[in-house]
Amino acid sequence: MNNNYGLVYPSQDEFYNVDVTNNNFSKLADSIDMIKAGTSKSAVIVSAHNSVNPLRANADYICGTGDCLSVFTKALEKVNEGGEILFLDGDYYLKERFYINKSITLRGMGGSHTRINKHTDSTDSVLFNLSKNIKVQDIGFYSHECATDSHGIYVGCNEAVIDSCRFKMTQVLRADVYTNIYLSNLGGHIRISNCVFDKYNDERYNIYADGRWDGVIYANYCINSSSGRIMDVRVNLHTPESYDEISFGIQKSKIYVNGVLKG
């Protein structure tokens, strides 16, 4: 029973009661506002401060030139499980990692066009922290020139897809720390495909895995930031089982198990 949705009908003797009518109109307007605002959406659009995409006019949220974490968090709260956050072209900045705790898709406009930048004031070691089964697609992850220990994406869930993203490494010396994609010791199933790893000619790994993982790592490539020449996609796995259970292909790569080259 809907109880007339809180509306009050004038009695037969009143015919017309302006107070009752105005109150009813007010309740209807409040209800319409609630429906328009919505508690959640299947698709949320986020715009950068310098986005030129026409969808900017319809964006749910627009980031400024500073830290975008609060805007990202609002977008995450708004989107339904199974939905999508679309990041338009432009530059976004993070001082702290963005924890994604819903099974959703995070999609950009291409790894060179949607750029998630590590803010120059950031001391965090991660940009995106995946803590549920998530797909990240067509987004670029860029670290500033003073970065010493950063991961573009930290996979803290047991299933994830990272597809067609771009990772830009800076010229730093801590090869033992900084990697583009870090797979946690939780283990699980991973697909990393069609990604571009852009770095200087150093020995850092592009993908580092703790724990036991299976899945596919294929069709990725690494380029030298200065010369543009192709380098090996370097992957370091924690267990021999991961080496046996992950399929590699269609890429120039070097695969290590605990730092020992396997193939």
Side-chain angles (χ1 to χ4, degrees):
M1 184 174 180
N2 60 42
N3 196 30
N4 293 328
Y5 302 101
L7 304 180
V8 178
Y9 296 159
S11 67
Q12 183 176 352
D13 296 331
E14 290 177 307
F15 294 107
Y16 177 78
N17 184 312
V18 68
D19 293 329
V20 171
T21 302
N22 288 345
N23 186 58
N24 284 343
F25 273 120
S26 179
K27 288 180 179 178
L28 283 171
D30 289 343
S31 299
I32 292 170
D33 287 342
M34 290 176 63
I35 292 170
K36 289 175 66 177
T39 56
S40 58
K41 297 177 67 174
S42 60
V44 173
I45 300 175
V46 179
S47 171
H49 70 97
N50 56 348
S51 174
V52 297
N53 191 288
L55 284 175
R56 176 186 170 90
N58 301 106
D60 297 279
Y61 302 99
I62 298 178
C63 290
T65 57
D67 186 16
C68 295
L69 181 60
S70 63
V71 174
F72 286 9
T73 301
K74 289 177 182 177
L76 182 62
E77 292 171 350
K78 190 78 169 178
V79 72
N80 285 325
E81 288 276 351
E84 176 180 285
I85 298 177
L86 172 63
F87 297 92
L88 301 183
D89 60 296
D91 291 288
Y92 303 85
Y93 302 92
L94 286 174
K95 291 183 180 181
E96 299 178 39
R97 71 184 68 187
F98 176 38
Y99 284 94
I100 303 103
N101 57 4
K102 287 183 178 178
S103 294
I104 59 172
T105 295
L106 301 147
R107 183 165 63 92
M109 309 297 290
S112 298
H113 302 289
T114 298
R115 297 173 295 272
I116 309 296
N117 300 279
K118 183 172 183 179
H119 195 282
T120 53
D121 293 338
S122 173
T123 58
D124 206 319
S125 59
V126 175
L127 291 174
F128 276 18
N129 195 122
L130 313 186
S131 54
K132 260 206 169 181
N133 300 343
I134 292 162
K135 181 176 184 179
V136 183
Q137 183 176 22
D138 292 318
I139 296 177
F141 297 87
Y142 293 73
S143 189
H144 65 78
E145 62 183 6
C146 299
T148 55
D149 52 350
S150 293
H151 311 299
I153 296 178
Y154 177 89
V155 181
C157 53
N158 56 19
E159 184 174 348
V161 174
I162 302 170
D163 181 65
S164 302
C165 291
R166 188 181 189 98
F167 298 86
K168 173 74 173 179
M169 280 186 169
T170 54
Q171 191 170 16
V172 296
L173 301 178
R174 296 190 62 182
D176 59 325
V177 177
Y178 184 19
T179 185
N180 297 134
I181 301 173
Y182 186 94
L183 308 179
S184 72
N185 60 13
L186 185 67
H189 183 82
I190 189 73
R191 176 163 71 87
I192 302 171
S193 58
N194 306 307
C195 292
V196 179
F197 300 100
D198 187 348
K199 69 173 186 176
Y200 291 89
N201 189 19
D202 54 37
E203 297 302 308
R204 285 172 293 172
Y205 299 113
N206 301 107
I207 302 167
Y208 190 99
D210 278 335
R212 179 173 174 172
W213 289 84
D214 62 58
V216 292
I217 299 176
Y218 70 98
N220 305 288
Y221 69 98
C222 181
I223 61 173
N224 183 284
S225 298
S226 297
S227 66
R229 70 179 180 85
I230 301 298
M231 300 194 297
D232 294 302
V233 176
R234 293 167 57 87
V235 182
N236 190 50
L237 306 172
H238 181 68
T239 66
E241 290 82 5
S242 294
Y243 180 75
D244 294 334
E245 295 171 7
I246 294 177
S247 296
F248 301 92
I250 326 177
Q251 64 188 16
K252 181 182 180 182
S253 58
K254 287 184 178 179
I255 314 301
Y256 300 79
V257 176
N258 281 326
V260 177
L261 181 63
K262 298 291 289 185

